[in-house]
Amino acid sequence: MSAENATGLAPEDRARAQAYELLARLLAAPPDADLLKMLAMLEGGETPIGAALAELAARAAETDAQAARDEYEALFIGVGRGELVPHGSYYITGFLNEKPLARLRADLRGMGVGRTDGNKVPEDHIASLLEVMAGLIEGGFGEARDGAGAQQAAHAFFHAHIALWAGRFFADLEKANAARLYVPVGTLGRHFVTIEEAAFEIAA
Amino acid sequence: MKQDDRNKAKARRNFLKLAGVAGVAGGAAMTGAAAKADGPRAEPATQCKGYRMTEHVRKSYETARF
């Protein structure tokens, strides 16, 4: 296939993996000064994704690392808990550590993915799920997969663990009181998840 | 791949292109590099079955306990 590079990954799929990685990075921890500088250089475009990137660049340019840390803390950590609870089980059932998490753990075990030693946070954190998606698209874990197999695995994982709630989470992030820098992160995530759903439908 | 699957795969890629997902790639390539510079990335699972979530995710989890 001419659209594929040496690693067998089409440029569009590489872009998807990078979008998942970017969102995972920003939701796993606040950006430091270097990452803020790079976010500020993101180029926008005419699509909803492009508009969200332009907004993210603009807000990153006026945010320093301390402000980003404070915002992240208020959004996701807080005293006791942050404004948002970025876990699938919580969004799907209203409680942490419920059946959706058990199902996810079973699937991750099957894929040979586990938590880092000492990591106590449930695996259904949005950042972990997005990171797993990037890995599946790149065919990076489990048995080696060809392009089509990797996309099928990514589709199955998305459908089982992300589709039910990620759109709502990103919409909540856009509207969160503490959100400044993270408003366009929410917008980007919301559009991206919608695009992914539609793209999986086309290929199904 | 069957012809039908090839057409679907092509339609999917065209859709992604139109949706502007590639726009993320230009910027995310740099930010991805920065994100990874945060800490050692897990070994790709070609050699190891036990993938571990990356260091930056782990670090944030240490502070994000409920």
Side-chain angles (χ1 to χ4, degrees):
Chain A
M1 245 183 268
S2 59
E4 296 185 354
N5 63 18
T7 64
L9 199 60
E12 294 78 14
D13 288 324
R14 180 165 304 284
R16 289 168 60 221
Q18 286 171 335
Y20 278 113
E21 274 178 20
L22 176 64
L23 289 167
R25 166 63 186 84
L26 291 172
L27 293 163
D32 59 14
D34 286 347
L35 183 50
L36 282 167
K37 218 175 290 169
M38 286 189 270
L39 289 173
M41 292 190 285
L42 283 169
E43 279 177 36
E46 283 164 15
T47 61
I49 291 269
L53 289 171
E55 188 60 26
L56 180 57
R59 296 199 183 202
E62 54 193 37
T63 305
D64 64 24
Q66 183 60 50
R69 276 199 297 277
D70 291 346
E71 180 178 332
Y72 185 90
E73 175 97 8
L75 284 170
F76 303 118
I77 299 168
V79 181
R81 60 163 265 205
E83 191 176 344
L84 301 176
V85 181
H87 288 273
S89 173
Y90 183 83
Y91 265 82
I92 296 165
T93 69
F95 299 95
L96 287 166
N97 302 318
E98 285 290 326
K99 267 197 191 124
L101 178 61
R103 278 195 292 268
L104 172 64
R105 282 185 174 148
D107 282 0
L108 291 176
R109 262 198 306 280
M111 286 156 39
V113 174
R115 282 186 290 190
T116 312
D117 294 338
N119 174 5
K120 298 267 174 17
V121 167
E123 294 90 328
D124 61 349
H125 190 287
I126 184 76
S128 318
L129 298 179
L130 298 173
E131 195 183 1
V132 169
M133 281 300 292
L136 286 173
I137 292 165
E138 288 170 339
F141 34 68
E143 56 275 38
R145 296 175 197 277
D146 61 14
Q151 294 328 307
Q152 269 162 20
H155 187 178
F157 189 85
F158 183 91
H159 182 73
H161 303 296
I162 296 179
L164 267 177
W165 70 283
R168 268 189 293 146
F169 164 75
F170 283 121
D172 286 348
L173 183 55
E174 277 183 287
K175 291 181 303 218
N177 287 328
R180 301 285 177 274
L181 176 67
Y182 277 83
V183 171
V185 176
T187 313
L188 183 63
R190 182 168 57 81
H191 288 310
F192 182 56
V193 167
T194 309
I195 289 164
E196 279 288 274
E197 267 171 52
F200 283 132
E201 280 306 306
I202 289 169
Chain B
M1 232 193 278
K2 284 184 297 203
Q3 186 58 40
D4 184 43
D5 290 343
R6 258 199 290 274
N7 288 341
K8 280 180 182 171
K10 197 174 166 209
R12 188 181 65 90
R13 286 201 304 272
N14 283 338
F15 169 75
L16 289 165
K17 210 179 287 174
L18 284 175
V21 172
V24 187
M30 334 181 275
T31 53
K36 282 171 192 169
D38 255 3
R41 181 127 176 127
E43 285 292 298
T46 38
Q47 317 117 311
C48 82
K49 264 228 145 202
Y51 176 89
R52 290 289 175 268
M53 284 166 190
T54 61
E55 187 70 8
H56 64 260
V57 172
R58 187 184 68 75
K59 261 192 245 156
S60 83
Y61 285 177
E62 282 172 353
T63 55
R65 289 195 182 140
F66 294 95

PDB file of all heavy atoms in Angstrom, chain A residues 47-81:
ATOM      1  N   THR A  47     -10.464  22.903  10.451  1.00  0.00           N
ATOM      2  CA  THR A  47     -11.361  21.883  10.988  1.00  0.00           C
ATOM      3  C   THR A  47     -11.586  22.144  12.483  1.00  0.00           C
ATOM      4  O   THR A  47     -10.852  22.928  13.095  1.00  0.00           O
ATOM      5  CB  THR A  47     -10.721  20.488  10.838  1.00  0.00           C
ATOM      6  OG1 THR A  47      -9.497  20.479  11.587  1.00  0.00           O
ATOM      7  CG2 THR A  47     -10.415  20.180   9.380  1.00  0.00           C
ATOM      8  N   PRO A  48     -12.598  21.507  13.080  1.00  0.00           N
ATOM      9  CA  PRO A  48     -12.774  21.635  14.541  1.00  0.00           C
ATOM     10  C   PRO A  48     -11.517  21.223  15.307  1.00  0.00           C
ATOM     11  O   PRO A  48     -11.162  21.865  16.305  1.00  0.00           O
ATOM     12  CB  PRO A  48     -13.930  20.669  14.833  1.00  0.00           C
ATOM     13  CG  PRO A  48     -14.709  20.607  13.567  1.00  0.00           C
ATOM     14  CD  PRO A  48     -13.695  20.740  12.464  1.00  0.00           C
ATOM     15  N   ILE A  49     -10.826  20.205  14.821  1.00  0.00           N
ATOM     16  CA  ILE A  49      -9.563  19.793  15.449  1.00  0.00           C
ATOM     17  C   ILE A  49      -8.545  20.937  15.351  1.00  0.00           C
ATOM     18  O   ILE A  49      -7.867  21.283  16.326  1.00  0.00           O
ATOM     19  CB  ILE A  49      -8.986  18.536  14.743  1.00  0.00           C
ATOM     20  CG1 ILE A  49      -9.871  17.314  15.030  1.00  0.00           C
ATOM     21  CG2 ILE A  49      -7.527  18.296  15.114  1.00  0.00           C
ATOM     22  CD1 ILE A  49      -9.501  16.499  16.215  1.00  0.00           C
ATOM     23  N   GLY A  50      -8.455  21.530  14.167  1.00  0.00           N
ATOM     24  CA  GLY A  50      -7.514  22.624  13.947  1.00  0.00           C
ATOM     25  C   GLY A  50      -7.819  23.820  14.833  1.00  0.00           C
ATOM     26  O   GLY A  50      -6.911  24.451  15.383  1.00  0.00           O
ATOM     27  N   ALA A  51      -9.116  24.134  15.000  1.00  0.00           N
ATOM     28  CA  ALA A  51      -9.517  25.250  15.847  1.00  0.00           C
ATOM     29  C   ALA A  51      -9.149  24.974  17.307  1.00  0.00           C
ATOM     30  O   ALA A  51      -8.676  25.862  18.025  1.00  0.00           O
ATOM     31  CB  ALA A  51     -11.022  25.503  15.711  1.00  0.00           C
ATOM     32  N   ALA A  52      -9.339  23.722  17.746  1.00  0.00           N
ATOM     33  CA  ALA A  52      -8.994  23.365  19.128  1.00  0.00           C
ATOM     34  C   ALA A  52      -7.487  23.472  19.343  1.00  0.00           C
ATOM     35  O   ALA A  52      -7.026  23.939  20.391  1.00  0.00           O
ATOM     36  CB  ALA A  52      -9.490  21.948  19.450  1.00  0.00           C
ATOM     37  N   LEU A  53      -6.711  23.061  18.343  1.00  0.00           N
ATOM     38  CA  LEU A  53      -5.249  23.153  18.447  1.00  0.00           C
ATOM     39  C   LEU A  53      -4.806  24.612  18.535  1.00  0.00           C
ATOM     40  O   LEU A  53      -3.911  24.958  19.306  1.00  0.00           O
ATOM     41  CB  LEU A  53      -4.583  22.479  17.246  1.00  0.00           C
ATOM     42  CG  LEU A  53      -4.654  20.950  17.191  1.00  0.00           C
ATOM     43  CD1 LEU A  53      -4.142  20.442  15.849  1.00  0.00           C
ATOM     44  CD2 LEU A  53      -3.875  20.315  18.336  1.00  0.00           C
ATOM     45  N   ALA A  54      -5.444  25.486  17.728  1.00  0.00           N
ATOM     46  CA  ALA A  54      -5.106  26.906  17.757  1.00  0.00           C
ATOM     47  C   ALA A  54      -5.402  27.501  19.134  1.00  0.00           C
ATOM     48  O   ALA A  54      -4.609  28.280  19.684  1.00  0.00           O
ATOM     49  CB  ALA A  54      -5.879  27.657  16.675  1.00  0.00           C
ATOM     50  N   GLU A  55      -6.538  27.119  19.689  1.00  0.00           N
ATOM     51  CA  GLU A  55      -6.921  27.608  21.012  1.00  0.00           C
ATOM     52  C   GLU A  55      -5.958  27.088  22.089  1.00  0.00           C
ATOM     53  O   GLU A  55      -5.557  27.819  22.997  1.00  0.00           O
ATOM     54  CB  GLU A  55      -8.371  27.170  21.319  1.00  0.00           C
ATOM     55  CG  GLU A  55      -8.965  27.758  22.577  1.00  0.00           C
ATOM     56  CD  GLU A  55      -9.036  29.288  22.569  1.00  0.00           C
ATOM     57  OE1 GLU A  55      -9.104  29.892  21.480  1.00  0.00           O
ATOM     58  OE2 GLU A  55      -8.996  29.874  23.674  1.00  0.00           O
ATOM     59  N   LEU A  56      -5.581  25.818  21.953  1.00  0.00           N
ATOM     60  CA  LEU A  56      -4.620  25.238  22.899  1.00  0.00           C
ATOM     61  C   LEU A  56      -3.286  25.986  22.825  1.00  0.00           C
ATOM     62  O   LEU A  56      -2.680  26.304  23.856  1.00  0.00           O
ATOM     63  CB  LEU A  56      -4.427  23.744  22.603  1.00  0.00           C
ATOM     64  CG  LEU A  56      -3.452  22.971  23.493  1.00  0.00           C
ATOM     65  CD1 LEU A  56      -3.836  23.072  24.968  1.00  0.00           C
ATOM     66  CD2 LEU A  56      -3.391  21.498  23.068  1.00  0.00           C
ATOM     67  N   ALA A  57      -2.853  26.305  21.609  1.00  0.00           N
ATOM     68  CA  ALA A  57      -1.598  27.041  21.438  1.00  0.00           C
ATOM     69  C   ALA A  57      -1.686  28.412  22.104  1.00  0.00           C
ATOM     70  O   ALA A  57      -0.775  28.832  22.825  1.00  0.00           O
ATOM     71  CB  ALA A  57      -1.274  27.181  19.949  1.00  0.00           C
ATOM     72  N   ALA A  58      -2.814  29.094  21.871  1.00  0.00           N
ATOM     73  CA  ALA A  58      -2.985  30.439  22.432  1.00  0.00           C
ATOM     74  C   ALA A  58      -2.965  30.399  23.958  1.00  0.00           C
ATOM     75  O   ALA A  58      -2.317  31.221  24.616  1.00  0.00           O
ATOM     76  CB  ALA A  58      -4.296  31.050  21.929  1.00  0.00           C
ATOM     77  N   ARG A  59      -3.676  29.432  24.528  1.00  0.00           N
ATOM     78  CA  ARG A  59      -3.735  29.370  25.996  1.00  0.00           C
ATOM     79  C   ARG A  59      -2.407  28.902  26.599  1.00  0.00           C
ATOM     80  O   ARG A  59      -2.028  29.345  27.683  1.00  0.00           O
ATOM     81  CB  ARG A  59      -4.882  28.461  26.438  1.00  0.00           C
ATOM     82  CG  ARG A  59      -6.217  29.045  26.000  1.00  0.00           C
ATOM     83  CD  ARG A  59      -7.381  28.484  26.768  1.00  0.00           C
ATOM     84  NE  ARG A  59      -8.616  29.052  26.211  1.00  0.00           N
ATOM     85  CZ  ARG A  59      -9.764  29.122  26.852  1.00  0.00           C
ATOM     86  NH1 ARG A  59      -9.849  28.665  28.085  1.00  0.00           N
ATOM     87  NH2 ARG A  59     -10.828  29.641  26.276  1.00  0.00           N
ATOM     88  N   ALA A  60      -1.724  27.990  25.893  1.00  0.00           N
ATOM     89  CA  ALA A  60      -0.421  27.529  26.394  1.00  0.00           C
ATOM     90  C   ALA A  60       0.560  28.688  26.457  1.00  0.00           C
ATOM     91  O   ALA A  60       1.386  28.775  27.365  1.00  0.00           O
ATOM     92  CB  ALA A  60       0.121  26.401  25.505  1.00  0.00           C
ATOM     93  N   ALA A  61       0.451  29.613  25.480  1.00  0.00           N
ATOM     94  CA  ALA A  61       1.368  30.747  25.421  1.00  0.00           C
ATOM     95  C   ALA A  61       1.206  31.662  26.630  1.00  0.00           C
ATOM     96  O   ALA A  61       2.145  32.354  27.029  1.00  0.00           O
ATOM     97  CB  ALA A  61       1.139  31.535  24.128  1.00  0.00           C
ATOM     98  N   GLU A  62       0.011  31.676  27.220  1.00  0.00           N
ATOM     99  CA  GLU A  62      -0.187  32.561  28.367  1.00  0.00           C
ATOM    100  C   GLU A  62      -0.293  31.809  29.699  1.00  0.00           C
ATOM    101  O   GLU A  62      -0.810  32.341  30.670  1.00  0.00           O
ATOM    102  CB  GLU A  62      -1.416  33.447  28.134  1.00  0.00           C
ATOM    103  CG  GLU A  62      -2.677  32.694  27.800  1.00  0.00           C
ATOM    104  CD  GLU A  62      -3.771  33.632  27.273  1.00  0.00           C
ATOM    105  OE1 GLU A  62      -3.426  34.583  26.544  1.00  0.00           O
ATOM    106  OE2 GLU A  62      -4.939  33.386  27.591  1.00  0.00           O
ATOM    107  N   THR A  63       0.185  30.561  29.711  1.00  0.00           N
ATOM    108  CA  THR A  63       0.150  29.752  30.936  1.00  0.00           C
ATOM    109  C   THR A  63       1.578  29.409  31.347  1.00  0.00           C
ATOM    110  O   THR A  63       2.371  28.995  30.502  1.00  0.00           O
ATOM    111  CB  THR A  63      -0.622  28.434  30.676  1.00  0.00           C
ATOM    112  OG1 THR A  63      -1.920  28.746  30.161  1.00  0.00           O
ATOM    113  CG2 THR A  63      -0.770  27.632  31.960  1.00  0.00           C
ATOM    114  N   ASP A  64       1.912  29.587  32.629  1.00  0.00           N
ATOM    115  CA  ASP A  64       3.227  29.124  33.074  1.00  0.00           C
ATOM    116  C   ASP A  64       3.067  27.773  33.784  1.00  0.00           C
ATOM    117  O   ASP A  64       1.950  27.321  34.036  1.00  0.00           O
ATOM    118  CB  ASP A  64       3.953  30.165  33.939  1.00  0.00           C
ATOM    119  CG  ASP A  64       3.228  30.456  35.247  1.00  0.00           C
ATOM    120  OD1 ASP A  64       2.449  29.602  35.719  1.00  0.00           O
ATOM    121  OD2 ASP A  64       3.436  31.559  35.797  1.00  0.00           O
ATOM    122  N   ALA A  65       4.207  27.133  34.062  1.00  0.00           N
ATOM    123  CA  ALA A  65       4.179  25.760  34.576  1.00  0.00           C
ATOM    124  C   ALA A  65       3.444  25.678  35.918  1.00  0.00           C
ATOM    125  O   ALA A  65       2.703  24.725  36.169  1.00  0.00           O
ATOM    126  CB  ALA A  65       5.600  25.220  34.701  1.00  0.00           C
ATOM    127  N   GLN A  66       3.626  26.698  36.767  1.00  0.00           N
ATOM    128  CA  GLN A  66       2.964  26.679  38.072  1.00  0.00           C
ATOM    129  C   GLN A  66       1.438  26.746  37.900  1.00  0.00           C
ATOM    130  O   GLN A  66       0.700  26.011  38.562  1.00  0.00           O
ATOM    131  CB  GLN A  66       3.455  27.847  38.940  1.00  0.00           C
ATOM    132  CG  GLN A  66       2.864  27.873  40.340  1.00  0.00           C
ATOM    133  CD  GLN A  66       3.186  26.610  41.139  1.00  0.00           C
ATOM    134  OE1 GLN A  66       4.345  26.195  41.211  1.00  0.00           O
ATOM    135  NE2 GLN A  66       2.173  25.961  41.712  1.00  0.00           N
ATOM    136  N   ALA A  67       0.995  27.624  37.005  1.00  0.00           N
ATOM    137  CA  ALA A  67      -0.446  27.743  36.751  1.00  0.00           C
ATOM    138  C   ALA A  67      -1.011  26.434  36.204  1.00  0.00           C
ATOM    139  O   ALA A  67      -2.111  26.011  36.567  1.00  0.00           O
ATOM    140  CB  ALA A  67      -0.713  28.902  35.780  1.00  0.00           C
ATOM    141  N   ALA A  68      -0.228  25.793  35.329  1.00  0.00           N
ATOM    142  CA  ALA A  68      -0.674  24.513  34.766  1.00  0.00           C
ATOM    143  C   ALA A  68      -0.789  23.460  35.860  1.00  0.00           C
ATOM    144  O   ALA A  68      -1.751  22.681  35.891  1.00  0.00           O
ATOM    145  CB  ALA A  68       0.289  24.045  33.675  1.00  0.00           C
ATOM    146  N   ARG A  69       0.186  23.454  36.783  1.00  0.00           N
ATOM    147  CA  ARG A  69       0.143  22.488  37.894  1.00  0.00           C
ATOM    148  C   ARG A  69      -1.076  22.744  38.779  1.00  0.00           C
ATOM    149  O   ARG A  69      -1.779  21.811  39.167  1.00  0.00           O
ATOM    150  CB  ARG A  69       1.417  22.585  38.748  1.00  0.00           C
ATOM    151  CG  ARG A  69       2.584  21.778  38.209  1.00  0.00           C
ATOM    152  CD  ARG A  69       3.628  21.527  39.293  1.00  0.00           C
ATOM    153  NE  ARG A  69       4.230  22.764  39.788  1.00  0.00           N
ATOM    154  CZ  ARG A  69       5.249  23.386  39.169  1.00  0.00           C
ATOM    155  NH1 ARG A  69       5.765  22.903  38.061  1.00  0.00           N
ATOM    156  NH2 ARG A  69       5.752  24.501  39.670  1.00  0.00           N
ATOM    157  N   ASP A  70      -1.307  24.021  39.097  1.00  0.00           N
ATOM    158  CA  ASP A  70      -2.454  24.362  39.959  1.00  0.00           C
ATOM    159  C   ASP A  70      -3.769  23.950  39.296  1.00  0.00           C
ATOM    160  O   ASP A  70      -4.676  23.438  39.947  1.00  0.00           O
ATOM    161  CB  ASP A  70      -2.473  25.875  40.241  1.00  0.00           C
ATOM    162  CG  ASP A  70      -1.306  26.299  41.135  1.00  0.00           C
ATOM    163  OD1 ASP A  70      -0.663  25.408  41.727  1.00  0.00           O
ATOM    164  OD2 ASP A  70      -1.038  27.514  41.213  1.00  0.00           O
ATOM    165  N   GLU A  71      -3.849  24.216  37.984  1.00  0.00           N
ATOM    166  CA  GLU A  71      -5.080  23.887  37.270  1.00  0.00           C
ATOM    167  C   GLU A  71      -5.294  22.373  37.241  1.00  0.00           C
ATOM    168  O   GLU A  71      -6.406  21.882  37.489  1.00  0.00           O
ATOM    169  CB  GLU A  71      -5.020  24.445  35.841  1.00  0.00           C
ATOM    170  CG  GLU A  71      -6.279  24.138  35.035  1.00  0.00           C
ATOM    171  CD  GLU A  71      -6.237  24.744  33.632  1.00  0.00           C
ATOM    172  OE1 GLU A  71      -5.567  25.777  33.438  1.00  0.00           O
ATOM    173  OE2 GLU A  71      -6.892  24.161  32.738  1.00  0.00           O
ATOM    174  N   TYR A  72      -4.219  21.648  36.958  1.00  0.00           N
ATOM    175  CA  TYR A  72      -4.317  20.177  36.903  1.00  0.00           C
ATOM    176  C   TYR A  72      -4.772  19.626  38.251  1.00  0.00           C
ATOM    177  O   TYR A  72      -5.644  18.762  38.335  1.00  0.00           O
ATOM    178  CB  TYR A  72      -2.968  19.580  36.509  1.00  0.00           C
ATOM    179  CG  TYR A  72      -3.020  18.081  36.321  1.00  0.00           C
ATOM    180  CD1 TYR A  72      -3.320  17.532  35.064  1.00  0.00           C
ATOM    181  CD2 TYR A  72      -2.814  17.218  37.388  1.00  0.00           C
ATOM    182  CE1 TYR A  72      -3.397  16.158  34.898  1.00  0.00           C
ATOM    183  CE2 TYR A  72      -2.894  15.844  37.233  1.00  0.00           C
ATOM    184  CZ  TYR A  72      -3.178  15.320  35.981  1.00  0.00           C
ATOM    185  OH  TYR A  72      -3.265  13.957  35.820  1.00  0.00           O
ATOM    186  N   GLU A  73      -4.161  20.183  39.311  1.00  0.00           N
ATOM    187  CA  GLU A  73      -4.486  19.763  40.677  1.00  0.00           C
ATOM    188  C   GLU A  73      -5.967  19.989  40.984  1.00  0.00           C
ATOM    189  O   GLU A  73      -6.649  19.112  41.510  1.00  0.00           O
ATOM    190  CB  GLU A  73      -3.597  20.566  41.637  1.00  0.00           C
ATOM    191  CG  GLU A  73      -3.872  20.363  43.092  1.00  0.00           C
ATOM    192  CD  GLU A  73      -2.919  19.340  43.723  1.00  0.00           C
ATOM    193  OE1 GLU A  73      -1.968  18.925  43.032  1.00  0.00           O
ATOM    194  OE2 GLU A  73      -3.143  18.982  44.871  1.00  0.00           O
ATOM    195  N   ALA A  74      -6.461  21.178  40.634  1.00  0.00           N
ATOM    196  CA  ALA A  74      -7.863  21.508  40.914  1.00  0.00           C
ATOM    197  C   ALA A  74      -8.807  20.620  40.099  1.00  0.00           C
ATOM    198  O   ALA A  74      -9.865  20.210  40.579  1.00  0.00           O
ATOM    199  CB  ALA A  74      -8.120  22.978  40.600  1.00  0.00           C
ATOM    200  N   LEU A  75      -8.407  20.323  38.875  1.00  0.00           N
ATOM    201  CA  LEU A  75      -9.280  19.528  37.994  1.00  0.00           C
ATOM    202  C   LEU A  75      -9.341  18.067  38.410  1.00  0.00           C
ATOM    203  O   LEU A  75     -10.410  17.463  38.436  1.00  0.00           O
ATOM    204  CB  LEU A  75      -8.785  19.618  36.547  1.00  0.00           C
ATOM    205  CG  LEU A  75      -9.088  20.911  35.790  1.00  0.00           C
ATOM    206  CD1 LEU A  75      -8.313  20.924  34.474  1.00  0.00           C
ATOM    207  CD2 LEU A  75     -10.584  21.036  35.527  1.00  0.00           C
ATOM    208  N   PHE A  76      -8.165  17.479  38.691  1.00  0.00           N
ATOM    209  CA  PHE A  76      -8.116  16.022  38.789  1.00  0.00           C
ATOM    210  C   PHE A  76      -7.699  15.467  40.139  1.00  0.00           C
ATOM    211  O   PHE A  76      -7.829  14.283  40.382  1.00  0.00           O
ATOM    212  CB  PHE A  76      -7.150  15.473  37.725  1.00  0.00           C
ATOM    213  CG  PHE A  76      -7.516  15.881  36.326  1.00  0.00           C
ATOM    214  CD1 PHE A  76      -6.652  16.655  35.570  1.00  0.00           C
ATOM    215  CD2 PHE A  76      -8.726  15.496  35.761  1.00  0.00           C
ATOM    216  CE1 PHE A  76      -6.977  17.038  34.279  1.00  0.00           C
ATOM    217  CE2 PHE A  76      -9.063  15.875  34.478  1.00  0.00           C
ATOM    218  CZ  PHE A  76      -8.189  16.644  33.726  1.00  0.00           C
ATOM    219  N   ILE A  77      -7.163  16.309  41.021  1.00  0.00           N
ATOM    220  CA  ILE A  77      -6.648  15.771  42.274  1.00  0.00           C
ATOM    221  C   ILE A  77      -7.369  16.395  43.461  1.00  0.00           C
ATOM    222  O   ILE A  77      -8.088  15.713  44.182  1.00  0.00           O
ATOM    223  CB  ILE A  77      -5.114  15.968  42.372  1.00  0.00           C
ATOM    224  CG1 ILE A  77      -4.453  15.215  41.202  1.00  0.00           C
ATOM    225  CG2 ILE A  77      -4.596  15.428  43.699  1.00  0.00           C
ATOM    226  CD1 ILE A  77      -3.010  15.539  40.983  1.00  0.00           C
ATOM    227  N   GLY A  78      -7.233  17.707  43.625  1.00  0.00           N
ATOM    228  CA  GLY A  78      -7.993  18.419  44.632  1.00  0.00           C
ATOM    229  C   GLY A  78      -7.724  17.957  46.051  1.00  0.00           C
ATOM    230  O   GLY A  78      -6.806  17.201  46.315  1.00  0.00           O
ATOM    231  N   VAL A  79      -8.516  18.430  46.982  1.00  0.00           N
ATOM    232  CA  VAL A  79      -8.436  17.970  48.365  1.00  0.00           C
ATOM    233  C   VAL A  79      -9.485  16.862  48.467  1.00  0.00           C
ATOM    234  O   VAL A  79     -10.670  17.104  48.401  1.00  0.00           O
ATOM    235  CB  VAL A  79      -8.755  19.104  49.357  1.00  0.00           C
ATOM    236  CG1 VAL A  79      -8.652  18.603  50.781  1.00  0.00           C
ATOM    237  CG2 VAL A  79      -7.835  20.285  49.126  1.00  0.00           C
ATOM    238  N   GLY A  80      -9.010  15.643  48.609  1.00  0.00           N
ATOM    239  CA  GLY A  80      -9.943  14.514  48.575  1.00  0.00           C
ATOM    240  C   GLY A  80     -10.166  14.070  47.152  1.00  0.00           C
ATOM    241  O   GLY A  80      -9.772  12.983  46.754  1.00  0.00           O
ATOM    242  N   ARG A  81     -10.769  14.904  46.337  1.00  0.00           N
ATOM    243  CA  ARG A  81     -10.850  14.616  44.905  1.00  0.00           C
ATOM    244  C   ARG A  81     -10.931  15.925  44.138  1.00  0.00           C
ATOM    245  O   ARG A  81     -11.279  16.972  44.684  1.00  0.00           O
ATOM    246  CB  ARG A  81     -12.036  13.721  44.562  1.00  0.00           C
ATOM    247  CG  ARG A  81     -13.386  14.288  44.929  1.00  0.00           C
ATOM    248  CD  ARG A  81     -14.502  13.571  44.198  1.00  0.00           C
ATOM    249  NE  ARG A  81     -14.859  14.306  42.990  1.00  0.00           N
ATOM    250  CZ  ARG A  81     -16.058  14.218  42.413  1.00  0.00           C
ATOM    251  NH1 ARG A  81     -16.960  13.403  42.889  1.00  0.00           N
ATOM    252  NH2 ARG A  81     -16.338  14.934  41.339  1.00  0.00           N
TER     253      ARG A  81
END
